[in-house]
Amino acid sequence: MKIPEQDFFEKITFRDALRLAMYDEMKDDKNVIILGEDVAKYGGAYGATKNLLEQFGSDRVIDTPISEPTIVGTAIGAAMTGLKPIAELMYVDFFGMSMDQIGNQSAKIRYMFGGQISVPMVIRTQGGTGRSGGAQHSQSLESWIMYIPGLYLVMPSNPNDAYHLLRDSLKTNTPTVFIEHKLLYNFEGPLDKKNKVQFGKANILKEGNSISIIAYSRMTNFAVEAARKLKEDNISAEIIDLRTLNPLDKNTIINSVKKTRHALVLSEGHYTTGVASEITSIIFENCFKVLKKPVIRYTAEDTPVPVAPNLEKNYVPTVDRIIDYAKKIIT
Amino acid sequence: MNSKSNTNLQELYTTMKRIRVFEERVAELFVRGETAGSMLHLSIGEELGPACVTKAMIDGDTFTTHHRGHGIFLARGGDPDKMMAEIAGKKDGYCKGKGGSMHIADMSLGHLGANAIVGGGIPTVVGAALSYKYLNKKNVSIAFFGDGAMQQGILYESMNMAALWKLPVVFCCINNQYGMGTKIDDAVAVKDFSLRAKSFGLECLHVNHLDAEKAYTDIREIVDNTRNNKPSFIEVECYRFYGHARKDKSPYRNEDEEIENRKLDPIAFAKENILTQNILNEEEIKSIEMTVDKEMDVSMNYAINSPLNEEAEIFTDVYDKSYTIESVDSRINNILKNK
Ligand SMILES: Cc1ncc(C[n+]2csc(CCOP(=O)(O)OP(=O)(O)O)c2C)c(N)n1
Ligand SMILES: [Mg+2]
């Protein structure tokens, strides 16, 4: 798998778009390094760093021992002293062991020290269901990160966004958690290196006027599929892909719901105190007078993730049920 | 003929063979699309440690395993039918198909759980041993983990507490030379793990040969000693014959290395010894092999034929039975009904 050099791709996988983003960023800035478990020789558990070792050498693409807190901690120290590290944690579930370094250290350093220093680093990780990974390898823990002031949080849904947002993440000068959905790596779409994405701005993927469906990461694609079928019943859904959860583009959400007066929020995280709860309350707070129906959040269940494929599939939102709820909301 | 130690070798051989064939059937189940996913970590080539250490366990002993735990569990008495069904994510599995390969367990056998978090199950055995000491039991609790877990900080917190409080804990490292695609030489500066354990005050045993009978004798001794509140560390060296999980073809290591190291086969070694010592003849060994083959075929079919679990199972076992979790669907429909 060689790394292609052109600026435009009619079709590229989400995985290769990420790889390209890291490649281009490392070419432009020699202080960008990658560290994590099996990122170099193996090329990353999901292949996102394949061939980068050959391109940039083992000083810049670094395999680490299985020591998550210290992977993050090392990235912090390097970021405080001139480098721009991309630390990869193989599964978002392993945030469990790294939360001190992520939440108490990286997020707080600039504030605690009165703005003296920034921590320009990215934690790339991967989450979500779909591979029967079970309770410790399938979670959606974005709300843990969204809860902590001081961390940016990016969850792209397609190759073009993934490419631009990853590159932007490295330029924010703020610790940024970048979560990739494990079933998106093979997802294909166009990539235009010149078609930049504004970091912190949601994307209205499809305009519509009967209901706003607000989603991010893989759920965006579920929403697109649902909207296609809803159209057959003359229901015109507006789809908003949040792209970044922090910063959160409230205005785009609010303006859309003011127009459609109905809202369905999708997330693969849990129902209770999840990202969807936050977005739902923002809509209630800001659109109360125009809403024709309660805002509905459609999420994964409030249980751990089961392994059995038949259970796992219905544990998270399905396209059929998105359609069903959308119809119920507008009728 | 059948002196005590001869029976030991025969028994160890059978256990190792059962592990090997079990794992081969798991691989087959995967190829046939009958497993729950591909995160299946086989212990082919690593059978010696699980066979010898579990044989040194007595009633009431407990253990936790890493993600590569099928062999350990089977050797300790796991029912291959229910194990295979769990790996298939089916209703008849040990955990109702909700845990799968990486979370397989049977509490009634003292199996306190397999773990998908590298190092995640290690402190559990410190707590179990704290119980035994408090309750005056002569049991030990054993943590099985890989060489990769030797780099997790939690192991050292656990070793220190076990040593400080003189708890009946065995830390057992199954060192198969790799953590996923990372060779041990790329993960540590000093490979002598016993040095680390010794510095915490643990008794140490390093097994780096293929002689199961000898390994068992040595392991038995150190485990028995641990029962007297002398925590210990056992490292068993071996080689991971195949990829990390089912989809991994090991492109990061060369074939020569694999071919050379697959010669370090504890099962072939045991068989050779059984024959040269005239414990069993070729025919008797063949008959053991056929019995094992048949047993594992039955288990594989059991898994295939086991039903899927009902969707309602998503919601059970999260809390105590008195607490029911409302499904998202029910919440949404209630909201929309109320208007
Ligand atoms: C905390 C944590 N980090 C990383 C992983 C991903 N992972 C799963 S197995 C594995 C390698 C483990 O190596 P080792 O402990 O030697 O066990 P082996 O697979 O060789 O039996 C890794 C990195 C994980 N499951 N949990
Ligand atoms: Mg290993």
Side-chain angles (χ1 to χ4, degrees):
Chain A
M1 254 203 292
K2 261 196 65 85
I3 298 177
E5 296 280 351
Q6 75 260 35
D7 275 354
F8 180 77
F9 298 81
E10 234 164 85
K11 230 181 184 187
I12 188 169
T13 61
F14 191 86
R15 171 189 295 109
D16 281 344
L18 291 166
R19 218 153 61 92
L20 262 184
M22 287 183 270
Y23 175 72
D24 287 344
E25 205 56 34
M26 290 178 87
K27 261 194 330 188
D28 286 3
D29 183 346
K30 65 174 183 6
N31 288 332
V32 174
I33 61 162
I34 297 177
L35 72 167
E37 292 158 20
D38 287 297
V39 294
K41 278 195 196 133
Y42 195 95
Y46 285 81
T49 51
K50 258 208 174 85
N51 299 111
L52 295 180
L53 171 68
E54 287 83 336
Q55 294 289 333
F56 299 105
S58 57
D59 286 347
R60 296 185 69 191
V61 186
I62 307 168
D63 275 332
T64 66
I66 307 173
S67 309
E68 286 80 7
T70 307
I71 294 170
V72 178
T74 303
I76 294 172
M80 291 172 78
T81 50
L83 300 189
K84 282 193 185 166
I86 306 173
E88 179 178 309
L89 291 186
M90 207 182 278
Y91 285 76
V92 74
D93 310 72
F94 311 158
F95 276 32
M97 47 226 313
S98 308
M99 271 315 263
D100 171 60
Q101 292 299 319
I102 300 170
N104 291 334
Q105 312 301 335
S106 81
K108 310 280 200 292
I109 284 171
R110 178 162 39 208
Y111 188 84
M112 291 190 303
F113 302 126
Q116 293 181 65
I117 198 163
S118 294
V119 186
M121 62 183 272
V122 174
I123 301 174
R124 274 191 51 246
T125 190
Q126 168 275 127
T129 61
R131 287 198 59 212
S132 283
Q136 298 173 337
H137 273 62
S138 314
Q139 297 177 87
S140 296
L141 298 178
E142 53 270 25
S143 68
W144 288 15
I145 298 304
M146 197 179 181
Y147 185 72
I148 299 174
L151 299 171
Y152 285 147
L153 174 57
V154 185
M155 293 190 72
S157 70
N158 63 67
N160 197 66
D161 287 358
Y163 176 87
H164 291 290
L165 291 172
L166 183 51
R167 293 200 68 176
D168 288 348
S169 296
L170 277 160
K171 298 190 170 88
T172 61
N173 234 10
T174 297
T176 300
V177 175
F178 193 98
I179 308 179
E180 300 148 17
H181 194 288
K182 56 169 70 57
L183 287 197
L184 282 181
Y185 288 107
N186 291 326
F187 181 80
E188 290 181 324
L191 164 60
D192 183 352
K193 290 188 184 176
K194 300 210 169 78
N195 181 14
K196 289 204 174 154
V197 168
Q198 196 187 329
F199 191 89
K201 183 101 182 91
N203 182 21
I204 302 175
L205 255 184
K206 177 187 162 301
E207 296 202 18
N209 43 39
S210 19
I211 182 169
S212 303
I213 303 182
I214 296 128
Y216 60 94
S217 188
R218 180 169 75 127
M219 282 300 129
T220 306
N221 302 327
F222 279 38
V224 170
E225 212 181 315
R228 206 177 294 132
K229 296 201 177 128
L230 285 166
K231 204 173 159 202
E232 292 165 15
D233 289 321
N234 281 324
I235 297 166
S236 139
E238 177 146 305
I239 297 173
I240 296 175
D241 179 1
L242 294 172
R243 298 201 284 213
T244 61
L245 296 175
N246 191 8
L248 182 69
D249 182 0
K250 290 181 195 169
N251 287 339
T252 299
I253 301 171
I254 294 165
N255 291 339
S256 171
V257 178
K258 281 190 174 158
K259 178 175 70 174
T260 64
R261 305 179 72 180
H262 298 96
L264 174 60
V265 183
L266 302 180
S267 164
E268 222 185 283
H270 299 298
Y271 189 87
T272 302
T273 66
V275 168
S277 336
E278 180 61 26
I279 294 161
T280 302
S281 57
I282 288 171
I283 299 172
F284 271 125
E285 286 162 351
N286 293 280
C287 308
F288 183 70
K289 282 196 187 136
V290 302
L291 279 172
K292 285 196 178 163
K293 284 282 179 64
V295 181
I296 295 298
R297 55 187 141 135
Y298 181 25
T299 65
E301 303 294 349
D302 276 342
T303 77
V305 188
V307 154
N310 64 314
L311 303 187
E312 190 193 32
K313 184 167 175 289
N314 291 314
Y315 165 86
V316 293
T318 63
V319 173
D320 285 345
R321 284 190 189 165
I322 295 172
I323 295 168
D324 179 42
Y325 298 145
K327 285 182 180 169
K328 280 181 179 154
I329 292 169
I330 61 164
T331 46
Chain B
M1 271 233 302
N2 271 341
S3 74
K4 178 93 172 47
S5 91
N6 287 347
T7 4
N8 280 343
L9 182 55
Q10 188 179 327
E11 198 186 307
L12 289 164
Y13 173 76
T14 310
T15 305
M16 293 193 291
K17 189 76 194 168
R18 286 181 73 237
I19 297 174
R20 174 79 49 101
V21 178
F22 178 89
E23 298 288 51
E24 286 167 356
R25 292 298 182 277
V26 172
E28 190 179 332
L29 211 55
F30 169 72
V31 171
R32 290 166 67 168
E34 294 280 354
T35 55
S38 64
M39 292 187 208
L40 306 163
H41 309 88
L42 307 186
S43 25
I44 294 177
E46 313 185 4
E47 297 88 349
L48 185 142
C52 295
V53 180
T54 56
K55 190 169 156 60
M57 291 171 78
I58 61 170
D59 276 359
D61 288 352
T62 51
F63 63 108
T64 61
T65 81
H66 55 336
H67 53 282
R68 201 175 300 283
H70 301 166
I72 300 158
F73 186 17
L74 185 72
R76 186 59 190 136
D79 173 350
D81 288 359
K82 289 163 84 175
M83 288 178 67
M84 208 79 88
E86 187 59 36
I87 290 163
K90 298 290 188 68
K91 183 176 177 150
D92 298 318
Y94 264 114
C95 314
K96 309 175 189 170
K98 297 203 279 191
S101 164
M102 294 198 291
H103 303 294
I104 203 160
D106 180 359
M107 300 299 150
S108 70
L109 288 175
H111 190 344
L112 301 181
N115 217 301
I117 299 295
V118 170
I122 294 173
T124 310
V125 303
V126 178
L130 187 73
S131 290
Y132 302 148
K133 196 172 176 188
Y134 180 77
L135 300 170
N136 251 325
K137 289 186 180 170
K138 275 289 165 212
N139 283 113
V140 297
S141 195
I142 306 182
F144 291 92
F145 48 88
D147 47 292
M150 290 297 300
Q151 279 57 258
Q152 288 287 25
I154 202 165
L155 172 63
Y156 301 100
E157 300 179 359
S158 298
M159 283 185 170
N160 183 50
M161 284 194 200
L164 178 70
W165 297 334
K166 301 188 172 55
L167 301 178
V169 170
V170 181
F171 297 97
C172 182
C173 175
I174 308 289
N175 177 357
N176 62 8
Q177 316 299 325
Y178 279 87
M180 250 178 90
T182 301
K183 199 169 184 168
I184 187 159
D185 307 74
D186 296 327
V188 298
V190 177
K191 278 198 273 186
D192 186 348
F193 291 149
S194 292
L195 275 179
R196 305 183 187 182
K198 259 187 211 126
S199 73
F200 282 96
L202 303 180
E203 309 282 325
C204 293
L205 173 68
H206 182 190
V207 178
N208 61 348
H209 55 76
L210 295 175
D211 187 341
E213 201 175 353
K214 175 172 165 35
Y216 167 66
T217 311
D218 294 344
I219 287 168
R220 180 70 196 253
E221 191 185 330
I222 196 166
V223 171
D224 282 346
N225 191 40
T226 304
R227 294 186 196 286
N228 304 317
N229 298 326
K230 296 209 178 88
S232 59
F233 172 71
I234 301 172
E235 176 190 355
V236 186
E237 287 207 54
C238 51
Y239 187 75
R240 196 190 73 206
F241 278 16
Y242 300 100
H244 169 68
R246 274 307 60 208
K247 285 188 170 164
D248 174 26
K249 305 256 184 310
S250 316
Y252 42 81
R253 62 187 195 189
N254 67 43
E255 224 180 319
D256 290 348
E257 178 197 306
E258 294 194 335
I259 291 166
E260 224 20 68
N261 281 284
R262 282 188 201 133
K263 290 181 190 154
L264 304 174
D265 183 344
I267 301 181
F269 189 91
K271 183 170 166 178
E272 185 72 32
N273 272 347
I274 287 173
L275 289 172
T276 50
Q277 291 173 36
N278 282 322
I279 300 167
L280 297 172
N281 62 32
E282 287 274 6
E283 231 163 80
E284 288 163 321
I285 290 205
K286 191 100 215 134
S287 132
I288 292 177
E289 288 170 356
M290 277 169 61
T291 312
V292 172
D293 270 341
K294 205 181 282 165
E295 179 193 16
M296 297 310 165
D297 277 340
V298 169
S299 297
M300 189 171 67
N301 287 321
Y302 179 85
I304 292 170
N305 294 323
S306 171
L308 296 175
N309 223 330
E310 299 86 40
E311 219 171 289
E313 277 298 342
I314 293 174
F315 304 95
T316 64
D317 306 318
V318 184
Y319 302 98
D320 185 81
K321 282 206 171 61
S322 61
Y323 185 121
T324 36
I325 298 169
E326 193 180 3
S327 72
V328 170
D329 184 55
S330 149
R331 294 182 220 199
I332 292 177
N333 284 317
N334 283 334
I335 294 167
L336 289 173
K337 248 187 284 168
N338 289 336
K339 300 214 169 135

